[in-house]
Amino acid sequence: MLMAICAMAMTTGCKQQGQKAPAEAATDSTSAEPTAKADAAPAKPLTPEQIANAWKESPVKVKGGGQRPDIVTLCKAFNQAWPSDVMQLLLDEAKDPKFTQLTDENTGGGIECDRNNGYASVVAGDSDLDCMEAAVWQRKNGHRLFMVNLVTPKPDYRNLPEKQALCVYDYDPKTETMTPEENVVSQFKPQKDGVSLMYRLPKNGTELSIGEGTTQPNTRWHFFEWDGMKFAETISYTEEELDEKIIGAWMCKDKDEPLLTFVIADSEINGPEVEDCSIYGSTEYEAYASTWDGYLTISDSGDIEEQTAPAINCRFRLTPQGELTGTYYLRQNGGKELRGTMTMKHGNPAW
């Protein structure tokens, strides 16, 4: 069964920081309600639909959670309270503390677990299995926000959920308890009928997104930033709007030099295409543009095993100011590597 699943990205431990809205009081985890035992023997596996209808019933005790429980500890406690086959697949692999990723090239799916960044996932690829994502955010008050999304995909549209359970908890280190929590993400409602919500938890960073998807193209994506206590929506746009707004020249400067520049043209056949791409105005790349889940990716097709060859991989979303913001990995001739975040400005701005 494991090999029918596909890999996503390296998992993470705790999503940190955030610099926006005022702090939100964390949910009180000293509830008088009965608490689900994390150390009890797992019961019969439940479906995402069954879990969605019941997970708010009681807090979940996290045995040995302590001050800084990692993603595996919280997933294990959740699975003891609300067991599922898909979560058990992750936990079976994560028994090895060195486990990070298992991929299946035949199905396009896999299992990932990144304890450092607080992220875990199981992707079914072309199989008929369920999927899941889980992530942890660190709160300014010492608590943790734990979120897990369990999904049964539509048979003919596997990027859309047929049934799902988005479960959100506040973890209190003093009581080692996860208490069900409502927030702007869990309470998000689609703007139209017949829409499925697609939650994308962050493999890196703290931002998450929600897509309003149908069997038709042109999903609308909503992006939420984390301020250290809660989420706030910053921007939303459709895939069509993204394709239109990325056409043209883009530049990001490092001090007085152009760190990265690229020009995207519109191709009626292939969609957005990169015409020019360079680093520091000298290292030129044959780069490619693609849009997926509301993000623009600029990448090359080079052999990543050749550590001295040029390489580029950038992932951006739009900002309310009409800029592109995101992460980048660049490698120049000679093997010098650059990693980090950047903001791209449209056209040839005055710096």
Side-chain angles (χ1 to χ4, degrees):
M1 179 178 290
L2 277 178
M3 294 311 296
I5 300 180
C6 245
M8 293 181 67
M10 301 284 288
T11 29
T12 56
C14 230
K15 315 294 178 185
Q16 300 194 18
Q17 87 186 28
Q19 310 164 349
K20 278 204 167 180
E24 173 184 67
T27 303
D28 181 6
S29 62
T30 58
S31 172
E33 298 179 7
T35 301
K37 299 287 187 180
D39 55 350
K44 180 180 178 181
L46 304 173
T47 66
E49 183 178 16
Q50 291 172 319
I51 294 174
N53 293 328
W55 72 275
K56 296 180 184 178
E57 292 178 357
S58 62
V60 174
K61 194 69 177 176
V62 183
K63 183 179 180 180
Q67 293 294 316
R68 301 175 62 85
D70 66 10
I71 187 71
V72 176
T73 300
L74 296 179
C75 284
K76 183 178 180 181
F78 176 84
N79 199 56
Q80 288 284 351
W82 308 107
S84 67
D85 285 335
V86 65
M87 181 67 81
Q88 192 60 49
L89 287 174
L90 168 72
L91 295 175
D92 287 345
E93 296 298 326
K95 290 178 181 178
D96 179 357
K98 296 181 180 180
F99 172 77
T100 58
Q101 188 173 12
L102 172 67
T103 63
D104 185 347
E105 295 180 356
N106 294 323
T107 64
I111 303 175
E112 294 188 38
C113 180
D114 185 341
R115 288 173 168 86
N116 292 331
N117 291 316
Y119 175 84
S121 67
V122 176
V123 182
D126 293 333
S127 75
D128 294 328
L129 301 178
D130 288 346
C131 307
M132 63 80 60
E133 265 193 311
V136 185
W137 289 259
Q138 179 180 341
R139 282 183 152 153
K140 295 177 182 177
N141 63 353
H143 288 217
R144 298 289 187 273
L145 180 72
F146 174 67
M147 193 176 298
V148 58
N149 188 35
L150 307 172
V151 178
T152 299
K154 289 182 180 293
D156 298 328
Y157 300 91
R158 292 199 58 81
N159 62 316
L160 297 178
E162 179 73 34
K163 302 292 182 180
Q164 68 181 325
L166 180 73
C167 308
V168 184
Y169 292 91
D170 175 80
Y171 172 77
D172 185 343
K174 293 183 179 179
T175 61
E176 296 188 334
T177 302
M178 295 195 301
T179 302
E181 172 178 304
E182 291 282 11
N183 60 31
V184 66
V185 174
S186 65
Q187 295 176 332
F188 183 88
K189 303 297 182 183
Q191 299 177 358
K192 298 180 180 179
D193 295 334
V195 169
S196 298
L197 296 183
M198 300 178 289
Y199 300 93
R200 299 292 186 263
L201 308 188
K203 299 178 184 180
N204 296 288
T206 59
E207 178 182 270
L208 65 77
S209 58
I210 303 176
E212 295 185 67
T214 68
T215 56
Q216 303 300 319
N218 208 26
T219 297
R220 173 169 289 277
W221 289 96
H222 302 258
F223 294 87
F224 295 80
E225 290 186 357
W226 174 252
D227 74 351
M229 285 296 291
K230 65 181 187 336
F231 292 101
E233 184 174 351
T234 57
I235 191 174
S236 71
Y237 48 80
T238 65
E239 294 171 342
E240 185 178 69
E241 291 170 342
L242 174 62
D243 287 344
E244 292 176 353
K245 292 182 178 180
I246 62 177
I247 302 303
W250 296 89
M251 177 182 290
C252 177
K253 278 199 170 184
D254 178 18
K255 297 180 180 179
D256 296 328
E257 297 292 330
L259 171 60
L260 175 66
T261 61
F262 56 82
V263 178
I264 298 179
D266 186 15
S267 169
E268 294 183 0
I269 298 177
N270 300 319
E273 294 184 343
V274 178
E275 289 188 336
D276 299 293
C277 182
S278 64
I279 301 175
Y280 290 112
S282 60
T283 306
E284 297 185 357
Y285 293 89
E286 182 181 0
Y288 301 89
S290 62
T291 55
W292 182 256
D293 282 2
Y295 286 89
L296 163 68
T297 298
I298 304 292
S299 61
D300 61 33
S301 58
D303 186 352
I304 60 174
E305 299 300 325
E306 297 180 12
Q307 296 300 319
T308 60
I312 180 172
N313 193 304
C314 305
R315 187 169 183 259
F316 301 107
R317 69 160 173 84
L318 291 173
T319 71
Q321 295 75 32
E323 301 170 342
L324 293 174
T325 184
T327 60
Y328 68 90
Y329 166 78
L330 308 171
R331 185 170 65 224
Q332 297 177 271
N333 289 320
K336 180 180 179 182
E337 295 184 357
L338 303 170
R339 298 175 184 265
T341 60
M342 68 166 63
T343 298
M344 307 288 293
K345 295 191 176 183
H346 212 164
N348 190 13
W351 296 84

